[in-house]
Amino acid sequence: MSACRWHPTIPHKSRMSISFDFFSGVHRDPRVISDDIVYGRGSFVTDSLPTDIEFVYFVITNTSTNNIVLADFFLETGHSITPYVIWDLDLPNEHVHNRLITPSARVVIGFLRDLFTRRVLRCAAVQEPFIFNIACRLADGAICRSDKYELSTKYPANPLQDIDISRYRHFFDRRISIFDKELSRINEQYGTLSNYANLHLTLGLHKFKGEGCTSLWQWREWMPAATNLWLVGSFTNFKIDDKFAFTKDIETGIWQLDLPENALKHGDYVELRAESPSTNGEQVRRIPAFSKWVEQDKNVEEQWCARVWSPDDV
């Protein structure tokens, strides 16, 4: 049977022997923590949940001086002259139907908001926001309805509010923390994320005009821990040549090497040789961080090498 169907206004005379309340809150919300809450299927959670995972609570209070028996609990949308009744809310029947409510006592029905929103959205007539009346049919046939309530169906607002993802929350929190720390470092060191993303425009190999409009190569690398840095390649037979030694800017940690245009050509194989305190004077190989082209050796798979990539010069 469909969980939602068109239904004319139920013809029984209403009486207000019941008061209603509806609100969103947190798991084990202090407003209902002392109540015996009836949870929708899938909404009962024994573990603690993050405070940004919301619940919705329906509170039904017997305001009469007599016992009443709850026969049905349902919702009616407020978008149509003919109400759209949502009967099946995934509630355990044994805890709602024929439920005795003594005078001044109340029944609290709770749903994870994520699951409740999914359930409501199965009904084609539901619009944004979801406007509804809470309704109860009592055992004697009387119908009680609340005033209209409103709830946004745009939930979860972010992936962390999705109950199916909540079990992985610790992983996402850790990743978010790492991201926030790195973003803070980038902003502190480079001013903006855009500046950081555009480092390739100033670091690596670039051609520029020197004095007298002479074309020159400029190579810049950020290696603050290095004590010496050289460029080697097919043009030096991969041996260190002091003509290709970088100069370090101590304040920024950037090494710079300026070369005449004829020192490098398109397709040259290049790599860096670096010394630092951690290498104990030994020179280590490094692929330039902002290389435009890197190749793997066909015969030695672990061997990679950058190439000068300037096809416009060919």
Side-chain angles (χ1 to χ4, degrees), residues 19-75:
S19 69
F20 298 94
D21 193 14
F22 169 78
F23 58 89
S24 61
V26 297
H27 185 222
R28 300 194 180 109
D29 194 282
R31 289 167 287 186
V32 294
I33 196 168
S34 60
D35 290 277
D36 181 16
I37 302 171
V38 179
Y39 286 102
R41 289 187 179 88
S43 294
F44 177 70
V45 181
T46 56
D47 300 330
S48 60
L49 290 174
T51 57
D52 57 352
I53 294 182
E54 293 184 23
F55 279 71
V56 290
Y57 296 98
F58 300 84
V59 182
I60 307 165
T61 304
N62 181 359
T63 57
S64 73
T65 57
N66 302 310
N67 292 338
I68 60 175
V69 178
L70 186 65
D72 284 304
F73 170 82
F74 53 96
L75 303 177

Side-chain angles (χ1 to χ4, degrees), residues 263-301:
L264 300 173
K265 66 179 185 300
H266 173 67
D268 280 345
Y269 288 92
V270 290
E271 63 182 28
L272 302 173
R273 292 282 196 276
E275 290 180 356
S276 70
S278 63
T279 66
N280 297 317
E282 183 181 350
Q283 295 151 8
V284 294
R285 300 174 57 251
R286 290 290 182 267
I287 295 174
F290 290 89
S291 302
K292 294 181 179 179
W293 190 279
V294 179
E295 288 184 4
Q296 183 179 26
D297 191 294
K298 295 180 180 179
N299 299 314
V300 185
E301 291 185 355

Side-chain angles (χ1 to χ4, degrees), residues 5-9 76-85 124-127 129-133 145 148:
R5 64 175 183 267
W6 289 107
H7 199 293
T9 302
E76 296 176 339
T77 68
H79 286 291
S80 175
I81 295 174
T82 305
Y84 198 74
V85 179
V126 170
Q127 301 176 29
F130 175 45
I131 299 174
F132 62 96
N133 300 86
R145 290 184 179 85
K148 292 189 187 307

Side-chain angles (χ1 to χ4, degrees), residues 19-191:
S19 69
F20 298 94
D21 193 14
F22 169 78
F23 58 89
S24 61
V26 297
H27 185 222
R28 300 194 180 109
D29 194 282
R31 289 167 287 186
V32 294
I33 196 168
S34 60
D35 290 277
D36 181 16
I37 302 171
V38 179
Y39 286 102
R41 289 187 179 88
S43 294
F44 177 70
V45 181
T46 56
D47 300 330
S48 60
L49 290 174
T51 57
D52 57 352
I53 294 182
E54 293 184 23
F55 279 71
V56 290
Y57 296 98
F58 300 84
V59 182
I60 307 165
T61 304
N62 181 359
T63 57
S64 73
T65 57
N66 302 310
N67 292 338
I68 60 175
V69 178
L70 186 65
D72 284 304
F73 170 82
F74 53 96
L75 303 177
E76 296 176 339
T77 68
H79 286 291
S80 175
I81 295 174
T82 305
Y84 198 74
V85 179
I86 306 177
W87 292 99
D88 184 3
L89 291 166
D90 271 346
L91 288 170
N93 290 339
E94 65 274 14
H95 295 297
V96 175
H97 298 295
N98 298 318
R99 174 78 174 254
L100 176 67
I101 310 177
T102 58
S104 301
R106 67 183 194 171
V107 174
V108 178
I109 298 173
F111 298 90
L112 277 160
R113 185 172 174 184
D114 183 18
L115 298 184
F116 179 76
T117 302
R118 294 186 207 177
R119 193 63 175 169
V120 165
L121 289 176
R122 291 187 193 177
C123 304
V126 170
Q127 301 176 29
E128 170 61 30
F130 175 45
I131 299 174
F132 62 96
N133 300 86
I134 307 169
C136 291
R137 187 202 303 269
L138 305 184
D140 63 1
I143 301 296
C144 294
R145 290 184 179 85
S146 71
D147 294 331
K148 292 189 187 307
Y149 291 99
E150 184 176 304
L151 182 71
S152 174
T153 59
K154 294 180 179 179
Y155 188 93
N158 65 70
L160 296 181
Q161 292 176 324
D162 187 321
I163 191 59
D164 293 331
I165 294 178
S166 63
R167 71 186 68 181
Y168 308 108
R169 178 65 179 260
H170 65 285
F171 169 79
F172 288 107
D173 284 342
R174 182 170 62 87
R175 298 299 301 170
I176 289 170
S177 176
I178 292 171
F179 173 84
D180 287 343
K181 288 178 181 177
E182 180 64 8
L183 184 60
S184 177
R185 181 192 71 80
I186 289 170
N187 287 332
E188 182 178 347
Q189 189 167 344
Y190 299 100

